């Protein structure tokens, strides 16, 4: 028999960085909260993704919280891009520093959440048979937390070990002397391949689509960055948040590759390549829009791959040709391409020789049998909606979130969903989230939600619900923001393209974290426009529209024809 439900103001799902900061922020506001976490520890992404070589791809100095002066002062990163154990230690440190563990329940999954219209409360059920009775339900479930359910024929027959990068065993692995195969060449694979290759007797990489990767040049934190941060941590954080991507990358929106001389282009790209990481993305203002500009960076990276890979045929296979640079999240690597120069590493092109079946010994492709002691699946995630979809969430009138999102996720501001009152998503679909430094997006969301709940409490309001009109207007704006760019052209997980049957829709908001923050602040300043706010029969506000559109950015004149053409074709501008 189910035990009595625990009563709390807020139930938070997930004890990653988002869930933990949310809990802390609520406590500061005098609101009670409980966190429920499926894992047996805090840390979210960094709890699960323990594969060899896992590390952050945004500089740690920026991929860390800025909300607490003490936390900032006492935590020191050892490297530019911290490895997973250090990021997990940081998560544990946050849990201890803010005494969060007493309100975090581990090893428990939220199975169902039902809105009780009469009580204006959520009734939550866990997979252990008990539940919560709460006013607010906050999904801090992460954007990349549910692995895709790839199944290969015969996989159950394989006699060796099978590992998933996203569910790596906590005791680690030792591939010494083993023949290892890895499927996938996304970020997880690109980070783990060099480390596994250095340990295993033989590593075979099964590649379906090559990816763009830029060198991390990991090492000590660059002195200029460290000095800037130490001089003014608050200012440094504010500067990171006031960017499109939530990190500083010297973006030059007004300099166009197609208007620059070959010498200037080369010098700029070389400089950014030498600096490493995502700074390459900010080199020119037209790369994300104009195919000709994108081609310039593609050619530059192709040349860099050829420089790193000794065998021209292998270099060619590793060179992306099917998508524009930046339309799938670029990888940041440490020695990835050079790994293919090792005698013990082989690249299998799955386009030339697709997998036919797994078998007891390993994998049979159409070309031949490959025998392994261990297989690694680095095959990706059901991104952005996967974790939410797996909870049986029922809003007003018993409507299921899966039905509401049948044609793709619909949200207002990536924070709320019409018909699901008092439910919030941290870095949900329709927010900048995965296109940004997640920590800065998390901070912005958590602070906005905490302010909203305090505002409601001050006015003794019981519920807040996005109006269908505001949600529709936001979805339209999310689509409009990405339409001028090349982003929708790729078969990316941003588009849901990696999950068979998932609706194709560009899920994150491409308008930039800085613009987005302004919009959210305007919405709040207008008394939460686009929401119905009520307590019982009392309706405090029912401003149905969303009018806080961002101003048009300064767009270089040369790009206007392309942008107008795409917006017109998509119906955002009159023909
Ligand atoms: P991913 O980018 O989606 O890559 C999955 C890989 O598996 C792709 O190469 C994909 O090929 C391949 N694949 C999937 N199903 C396959 C099948 N049936 N047969 C053959 N190949 C198959 O996943 P990920 O590498 O885990 O990365 C996901 C995201 O997580 C990244 O984009 C990044 O945002 C984040 N991440 C971040 C870090 C970091 O911060 N350091 C590290 C890891 C991941 P196709 O491309 O052909 O589908």
């Amino acid at each position: 028999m189910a035990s009595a439900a625990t009563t709390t103001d807020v139930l938070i799902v997930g004890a990653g960085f988002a869930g933990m900061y949310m809990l802390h922020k609520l406590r500061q506001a005098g609101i009670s909260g409980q966190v429920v976490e499926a894992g047996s520890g805090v840390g979210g992404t960094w709890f699960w993704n323990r594969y060899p070589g896992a590390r952050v791809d945004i500089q740690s100095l920026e991929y860390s919280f800025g909300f607490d002066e003490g936390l900032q002062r006492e935590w020191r990163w050892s490297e530019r891009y911290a490895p997973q154990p250090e990021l997990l230690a940081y998560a544990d440190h946050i849990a201890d520093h803010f005494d969060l563990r007493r309100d975090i329940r581990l090893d428990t999954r939220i199975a169902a959440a039902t809105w009780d219209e009469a009580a204006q409360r959520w009734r939550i059920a866990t997979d252990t048979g008990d539940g919560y009775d709460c006013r607010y339900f906050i999904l801090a479930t992460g954007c990349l937390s549910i692995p895709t359910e790839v199944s290969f024929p015969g996989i159950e027959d394989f006699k060796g070990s099978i590992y998933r990068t996203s569910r790596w065993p906590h005791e680690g692995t030792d591939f010494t002397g083993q023949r290892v195969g890895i499927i996938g060449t996304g970020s997880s694979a690109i980070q783990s391949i060099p480390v596994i290759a250095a340990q295993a007797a033989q590593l075979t990489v099964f590649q379906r689509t090559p990816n763009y990767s830029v060198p991390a040049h990991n090492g000590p934190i660059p002195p200029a960055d460290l000095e800037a941060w130490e001089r003014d941590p608050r200012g440094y954080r504010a500067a990171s948040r006031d960017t499109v991507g939530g990190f500083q990358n010297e973006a030059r929106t007004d300099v166009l590759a197609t208007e620059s001389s070959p010498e200037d282009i080369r010098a700029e790209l070389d400089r950014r390549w030498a600096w490493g990481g995502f700074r390459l993305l900010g080199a020119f203002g037209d790369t994300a829009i104009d195919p000709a500009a994108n081609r310039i960076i593609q050619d530059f990276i192709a040349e860099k791959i050829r420089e790193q890979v000794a065998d021209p045929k292998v270099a060619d296979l590793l060179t992306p040709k099917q998508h524009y640079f930046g339309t799938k999240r670029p990888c940041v690597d440490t020695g990835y391409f050079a790994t293919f120069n090792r005698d013990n590493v082989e690249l299998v092109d799955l386009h030339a020789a697709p997998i036919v079946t797994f078998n007891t010994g390993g994998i049979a492709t159409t070309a031949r049998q490959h025998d392994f002691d261990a297989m690694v699946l680095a095959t990706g995630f059901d991104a952005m909606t996967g974790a939410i979809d797996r909870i049986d969430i029922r809003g007003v009138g018993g409507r299921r979130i899966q039905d509401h999102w049948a044609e793709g996720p619909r949200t207002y501001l990536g924070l709320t969903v019409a018909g699901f009152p008092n439910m919030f998503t941290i870095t949900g679909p329709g927010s900048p989230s995965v296109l940004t430094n997640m920590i800065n997006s998390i901070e912005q969301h958590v602070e906005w939600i905490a302010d909203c709940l305090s505002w409601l409490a001050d006015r003794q309001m019981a519920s807040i619900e996005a109006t269908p009109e505001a949600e529709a207007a936001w979805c339209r704006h999310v689509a409009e923001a990405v339409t001028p760019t090349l982003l929708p052209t790729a078969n990316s997980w941003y588009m849901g393209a990696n999950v068979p049957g998932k609706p194709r829709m560009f899920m994150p908001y491409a308008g930039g974290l800085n613009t987005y923050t302004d919009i959210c602040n305007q919405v709040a300043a207008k008394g939460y426009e686009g929401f119905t706010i009520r307590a019982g029969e009392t309706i405090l506000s029912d401003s149905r529209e969303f009018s806080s559109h961002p101003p048009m950015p300064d767009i270089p004149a040369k790009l206007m024809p392309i942008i107008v053409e795409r917006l017109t074709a998509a119906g955002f501008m009159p023909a």
Side-chain angles (χ1 to χ4, degrees):
M1 206 177 84
S3 48
T6 305
T7 301
T8 179
D9 291 331
V10 185
L11 192 277
I12 302 163
V13 193
F17 288 132
M20 288 201 289
Y21 181 34
M22 192 73 247
L23 175 63
H24 173 64
K25 198 73 193 159
L26 290 176
R27 279 188 190 165
Q28 284 184 325
I31 299 170
S32 70
Q34 297 278 315
V35 180
V36 172
E37 162 61 51
S40 52
V42 301
T45 279
W46 304 110
F47 174 83
W48 297 104
N49 291 269
R50 297 163 183 248
Y51 58 83
R55 61 178 69 246
V56 65
D57 60 3
I58 302 265
Q59 288 203 93
S60 301
L61 210 50
E62 292 183 88
Y63 187 89
S64 43
F65 280 127
F67 65 82
D68 185 85
E69 210 60 31
L71 176 67
Q72 289 223 74
R73 289 281 170 208
E74 71 182 42
W75 188 265
R76 282 286 178 276
W77 296 107
S78 67
E79 296 173 80
R80 256 180 106 173
Y81 300 96
Q84 175 271 335
E86 194 171 333
L87 290 150
L88 190 56
Y90 181 61
D92 276 317
H93 175 72
I94 288 168
D96 294 332
H97 182 96
F98 298 108
D99 186 24
L100 300 177
R101 293 189 201 272
R102 63 189 156 89
D103 288 323
I104 299 176
R105 179 172 165 191
L106 301 173
D107 296 311
T108 308
R109 225 168 243 289
I110 297 299
T114 306
W115 175 246
D116 180 337
E117 185 69 19
Q120 297 194 304
R121 293 181 73 84
W122 282 96
R123 313 289 185 198
I124 313 285
T126 70
D127 63 353
T128 53
D130 52 7
Y132 293 84
D133 169 351
C134 54
R135 172 109 19 234
Y136 299 102
F137 177 46
I138 301 183
L139 292 150
T141 39
C143 295
L144 296 157
S145 42
I146 301 293
T148 49
E149 290 163 11
V150 284
S151 72
F152 295 94
I155 193 160
E156 61 289 346
D157 297 333
F158 179 56
K159 293 283 181 245
S161 312
I162 298 182
Y163 302 98
R164 273 184 180 279
T165 46
S166 52
R167 293 288 180 269
W168 206 259
H170 289 196
E171 62 278 14
T173 43
D174 182 2
F175 292 124
T176 307
Q178 295 197 7
R179 298 157 304 167
V180 181
I182 181 165
I183 299 179
T185 47
S187 294
S188 303
I190 280 179
Q191 287 189 332
S192 55
I193 283 167
V195 184
I196 298 173
Q199 191 180 59
Q202 165 71 33
L203 178 66
T204 304
V205 178
F206 292 91
Q207 171 184 274
R208 195 162 64 180
T209 313
N211 253 314
Y212 296 101
S213 187
V214 291
H217 297 312
N218 193 24
I221 297 169
D225 284 23
L226 193 55
E227 195 195 297
W229 178 80
E230 280 176 340
R231 204 173 41 242
D232 178 14
R234 259 171 203 273
Y236 191 83
R237 299 268 175 224
S240 295
R241 276 174 70 153
D242 189 20
T243 57
V244 168
F247 63 99
Q248 301 176 40
N249 77 342
E250 294 184 359
R252 306 190 309 166
T253 46
D254 52 342
V255 183
L256 303 189
T258 51
E259 288 180 341
S260 304
S261 71
E263 297 74 25
D264 287 350
I265 290 171
R266 186 71 207 199
E268 188 62 20
L269 295 182
D270 272 341
R271 187 177 73 77
R272 287 174 185 257
W273 186 268
W275 200 86
F278 289 142
R279 208 158 269 199
L280 203 65
L281 284 164
F284 299 104
D286 48 356
T287 316
I289 294 171
D290 184 348
N294 198 285
R295 181 86 216 177
I296 291 170
I297 295 209
Q298 289 176 46
D299 289 346
F300 172 81
I301 297 176
E303 187 185 323
K304 291 292 180 190
I305 295 172
R306 286 194 296 275
E307 280 172 16
Q308 293 172 83
V309 181
D311 182 335
K313 279 201 200 110
V314 176
D316 187 55
L317 283 178
L318 289 168
T319 302
K321 299 181 186 79
Q322 292 170 358
H323 63 284
Y324 295 109
F325 173 68
T327 55
K328 288 183 174 188
R329 184 168 168 115
C331 308
V332 177
D333 73 273
T334 298
Y336 173 64
F337 292 111
T339 298
F340 291 90
N341 297 331
R342 296 177 65 106
D343 291 339
N344 69 334
V345 175
E346 179 191 11
L347 180 66
V348 174
D349 172 15
L350 289 178
H351 284 294
I355 293 172
V356 177
T357 186
F358 271 62
N359 49 39
T360 53
I363 285 180
T365 67
T366 51
R368 70 174 177 89
Q369 169 73 17
H370 298 263
D371 287 328
F372 300 115
D373 302 300
M375 280 302 308
V376 176
L377 302 182
T379 41
F381 298 88
D382 183 353
M384 307 208 69
T385 54
I388 300 173
D389 268 347
R390 277 161 182 76
I391 303 174
D392 183 11
I393 303 175
R394 291 168 193 252
V396 174
R399 185 165 166 78
R400 296 162 71 237
I401 191 99
Q402 292 94 333
D403 294 333
H404 191 68
W405 285 2
E407 286 165 26
R410 303 178 55 73
T411 67
Y412 179 38
L413 303 173
L415 275 161
T416 56
V417 183
F420 295 80
N422 289 7
M423 184 181 93
F424 296 88
T425 51
I426 301 183
T427 64
S431 78
S433 56
V434 290
L435 298 177
T436 69
N437 173 358
M438 288 299 280
I439 292 274
N440 279 337
S441 279
I442 286 169
E443 276 196 342
Q444 184 267 338
H445 264 194
V446 166
E447 288 160 12
W448 192 92
I449 294 169
D451 286 349
C452 175
L453 299 199
S454 296
W455 188 94
L456 294 167
D458 289 348
R459 287 157 185 79
Q460 298 181 324
M461 288 294 114
S463 77
I464 181 165
E465 179 186 354
T467 65
E469 293 85 348
E471 184 184 82
W474 180 252
C475 290
R476 184 177 158 85
H477 176 58
V478 170
E480 188 180 18
V482 79
T483 294
T485 75
L486 294 167
L487 281 161
T489 63
N491 287 325
S492 63
W493 57 256
Y494 299 142
M495 292 289 292
N498 64 330
V499 176
K502 192 165 174 171
R504 290 279 176 118
M505 171 180 159
F506 194 83
M507 293 183 282
Y509 174 59
L513 179 61
N514 44 4
T515 303
Y516 173 80
T517 302
D518 286 348
I519 295 171
C520 291
N521 292 344
Q522 282 178 46
V523 165
K526 290 178 190 166
Y528 294 94
E529 76 162 4
F531 289 99
T532 305
I533 295 167
R534 59 163 73 92
E537 299 301 307
T538 310
I539 294 184
L540 175 70
S541 147
D542 188 15
S543 79
R544 307 198 75 79
E545 300 306 326
F546 157 69
S547 62
S548 304
H549 281 282
M552 270 297 274
D554 288 334
I555 294 168
K558 189 173 179 202
L559 294 177
M560 278 315 280
I562 305 180
I563 291 174
V564 169
E565 187 193 318
R566 289 189 191 142
L567 286 173
T568 308
F572 291 108
M573 288 179 86

